[in-house]
Amino acid sequence: MIGFSVAIASSVIGGVLGAVVVIWRSVDNVIMRILDGLIAFPSIVLAILLVAAFGGGHWQVIVALTLVYFPRIARVVRGIGLSLIASPFVEAAYVAGGSRWWVMRHHVIPNLFGPIGVQGTYVMSRAIVIDAGLSFLGLSVPPPTPTWGNMLGDARLFMDQAWWMVVLPGLCIVFTALAVNYVGDWLRDITDKKLGANR
């Protein structure tokens, strides 16, 4: 639930901000410098600071991880949006008489959905792993709510007697993150027109 919620919230906020700086170039410098400041912090360090400030709980962790990851999505969306604006088919739309808003609505923004979805899957897998790390440290959702990180934290005291109590939650984290990453690769393959043209 936390990984999916963080992915959705980060994709929406980051996608909107990335599109805003592409459409209104006058605010690009201010917004991107603020986001660069957030990106400069390592993900796990910033997550620990924010969770410590907000407190443990589902919604607090979701808000903290969203603040960690939405600047990264905004930066990716901005880069792709700027490359789209400079592409020949957008220039042709302007030459054909399309207004700025029409071109943005019909040619630029629709082509941003695929990359946002791919980045959302990456954020989801990273949020699952970092939430497990926070739970292991006792900073995420508090007991008695079961999480894989809580299970790992509790089971480390019994590794000699019951090793599977550590291995199984760890495998769940690994396989879930891998599965989400494979979904992201699949989304990239079906949305990237350059890859489709090379097949």
Side-chain angles (χ1 to χ4, degrees):
M1 185 191 80
I2 289 176
F4 184 76
S5 301
V6 170
I8 294 296
S10 299
S11 298
V12 170
I13 298 172
V16 168
L17 272 179
V20 164
V21 298
V22 168
I23 295 171
W24 288 289
R25 302 292 297 140
S26 58
V27 299
D28 179 27
N29 195 46
V30 174
I31 293 177
M32 293 315 297
R33 294 301 74 76
I34 294 172
L35 298 185
D36 286 343
L38 292 173
I39 294 173
F41 286 92
S43 301
I44 187 67
V45 174
L46 184 57
I48 289 172
L49 290 174
L50 292 172
V51 170
F54 296 152
H58 284 98
W59 294 110
Q60 291 89 336
V61 173
I62 290 170
V63 170
L65 293 180
T66 299
L67 290 174
V68 170
Y69 284 111
F70 88 85
R72 291 163 171 80
I73 293 183
R75 175 161 281 285
V76 171
V77 170
R78 172 187 176 270
I80 295 173
L82 292 177
S83 67
L84 284 171
I85 289 176
S87 59
F89 72 91
V90 172
E91 294 179 358
Y94 280 122
V95 171
S99 66
R100 179 178 178 82
W101 282 106
W102 189 89
V103 171
M104 289 292 174
R105 190 169 67 251
H106 289 87
H107 292 290
V108 176
I109 293 176
N111 283 294
L112 294 175
F113 289 132
I116 290 173
V118 174
Q119 288 298 309
T121 59
Y122 166 77
V123 167
M124 183 174 176
S125 67
R126 292 297 300 155
I128 290 171
V129 173
I130 288 192
D131 176 58
L134 293 173
S135 296
F136 181 82
L137 296 173
L139 296 173
S140 186
V141 181
T145 303
T147 67
W148 288 328
N150 286 340
M151 292 176 187
L152 285 174
D154 294 339
R156 73 183 189 277
L157 302 175
F158 309 102
M159 287 182 63
D160 295 337
Q161 294 85 11
W163 55 267
W164 58 88
M165 293 178 65
V166 175
V167 172
L168 294 179
L171 288 177
C172 288
I173 296 169
V174 170
F175 287 138
T176 303
L178 281 175
V180 174
N181 282 332
Y182 277 122
V183 171
D185 288 341
W186 173 74
L187 280 175
R188 184 201 58 194
D189 291 344
I190 65 173
T191 58
D192 193 322
K193 292 180 174 56
K194 293 180 181 178
L195 288 177
N198 292 331
R199 286 197 203 100

